[in-house]
Amino acid sequence: MAYLDNTPEQQREMLATIGAASIEELFAQIPAELQLKRPLDMPPALTEMELQTALGNLAKQNSERQGTCFMGGGCYDHFIPAAVDAIASRSEFYTAYTPYQAEASQGSLQAFYEFQTLVCQLTGMEVSNASLYEGGTSVSEAAFMAMRVTGRYKKVVLLGSVHPEYRAVVDTYFSDLECEAIVVPTPNGIADFAAVRDALDDQTACLVIQQPNFFGCLEEARELVEAAHEVGALAVVSCDPISLGMLVRPGEYGADIVVAEGQSLGTPLQYGGPFLGILACRQKFMRKMPGRLIGETTDRDGRPCFVLNLQAREQHIRRDKATSNICTNQGLIALRATAYMALLGKQGLGEVAELSCRKAHYVAERLTAIDGFSLAYDRPFFKEFTLRCENGAAEALAKAAQAGFDIGPLLSQFDASNQTDLLVATTECRTRHEIDALADALAQ
């Protein structure tokens, strides 16, 4: 049941309604010897995140295996305010189907409009669509969009530090097309400029960059964007939305299309999905954008309202000029992201980013102080890093799991020749006690 707070003024109003002058008069019918004359024996008040952690720890006592999450690789265990669930579970949103009769769905349209606005503010871009399926699909759709903008359909260049699963989705989409996906290796954890420039030419539609990249490292993104522009290609940046609470927004260093996996914006890990694809771009590319775009206008009486401005799917008005066969969007997950961003605001998102970053660096400091563990790459990182384990990453993962901690994934999952490295990530949720306990477990 929802907890409803009330103010002293509301309490006075309620007492006046029932004819009681005070709280004491209201309870006067209870014998004095039965009334509690002291404050309740309660522990000090907790923040919402502290309370969730305390209840989570109690719940773990009912389960033989419920690990503390230090896992990375694209999905993250960030704190989610309870208000996000309360808003997203309202029946008018929870059961609403996609607004084919758009003007009849003003509530949904306004929510998507707010989502688009917040994504533009977060990424520094000019236009956002109402969302796509998830991060991998967003990268592929951005590549197709770059082809339509540049008129180049033969070649797309991706850094080897882009998430392997995102690259796999691109390969799947390209499997029956003439377009070639060129992957530039990143053996040192970030892009090699000479190799990137060698791969780019006047046939390249776009260069796909991930910032922070899959290994957790920060790329020299501005220089990479400039390298793409030098050959007339677009720069596609896949980012971690939470990182934009600290890092420079892609729009400020010249990105043409920004994509992201939006799970960290108010959606739990929930066994791997459904998640949220984000795609934003420059306004001049808007008509080449996939998905749907919601706009604000006024009705015949001059009142503000919302409309489905653009939906370039082949089964609707665009036919052979369709930009994508994706016509829908992740409405409920986008609503969660909207509520999350609105609740945290600029300051809150900055605090989440800073806490995640500081704690990740503390984790790295503790783990690399243990014999046999080191950072795989000597590069700045945000909330995630690649840990090198001399005795094998699988052994470290098993040791952590035995102590109740989830780390990884193993990089051997994506490259069988790499048996020593795994990812470790930290969010604002992890406590110093948990971090120290993980270090103690790996040190044994």
Side-chain angles (χ1 to χ4, degrees), residues 189-221:
I190 62 167
D192 176 273
F193 279 107
V196 172
R197 284 202 163 87
D198 287 344
L200 295 170
D201 58 30
D202 60 5
Q203 297 300 308
T204 306
C206 66
L207 171 65
V208 181
I209 306 156
Q210 185 171 337
Q211 178 77 327
N213 69 27
F214 174 68
F215 305 112
C217 304
L218 297 183
E219 300 275 4
E220 299 290 348

Side-chain angles (χ1 to χ4, degrees), residues 109-221:
L109 292 181
Q110 180 175 356
F112 299 153
Y113 180 82
E114 302 290 352
F115 169 80
Q116 293 170 179
T117 303
L118 290 166
V119 167
C120 287
Q121 293 173 345
L122 185 65
T123 59
M125 302 303 283
E126 295 158 352
V127 181
S128 163
N129 69 11
S131 75
L132 296 172
Y133 296 141
E134 31 67 43
T137 304
S138 297
V139 170
S140 298
E141 290 292 339
F144 284 121
M145 182 175 165
M147 294 180 204
R148 295 189 291 272
V149 170
T150 60
R152 302 172 178 178
Y153 293 89
K154 300 292 186 183
K155 182 178 177 182
V156 165
V157 176
L158 303 96
L159 299 185
S161 53
V162 172
H163 198 305
E165 292 175 350
Y166 297 177
R167 289 189 275 118
V169 174
V170 171
D171 288 340
T172 301
Y173 271 92
F174 285 8
S175 58
D176 289 323
L177 302 176
E178 294 183 2
C179 187
E180 186 179 12
I182 304 295
V183 177
V184 180
T186 52
N188 297 317
I190 62 167
D192 176 273
F193 279 107
V196 172
R197 284 202 163 87
D198 287 344
L200 295 170
D201 58 30
D202 60 5
Q203 297 300 308
T204 306
C206 66
L207 171 65
V208 181
I209 306 156
Q210 185 171 337
Q211 178 77 327
N213 69 27
F214 174 68
F215 305 112
C217 304
L218 297 183
E219 300 275 4
E220 299 290 348

Side-chain angles (χ1 to χ4, degrees), residues 5-26:
D5 195 9
N6 52 62
T7 66
E9 176 61 31
Q10 290 171 324
Q11 292 175 12
R12 284 193 291 273
E13 185 178 347
M14 287 188 286
L15 288 169
T17 299
I18 62 174
S22 64
I23 292 286
E24 290 73 19
E25 182 179 323
L26 175 66

Side-chain angles (χ1 to χ4, degrees), residues 44-79:
L46 301 175
T47 66
E48 187 180 346
M49 188 167 78
E50 290 171 336
L51 180 60
Q52 282 194 11
T53 300
L55 293 175
N57 289 334
L58 286 174
K60 285 179 182 177
Q61 296 178 22
N62 294 325
S63 171
E64 291 184 1
R65 180 70 180 90
Q66 190 171 357
T68 301
C69 183
F70 284 89
M71 292 190 74
C75 307
Y76 304 97
D77 182 31
H78 284 286
F79 169 71

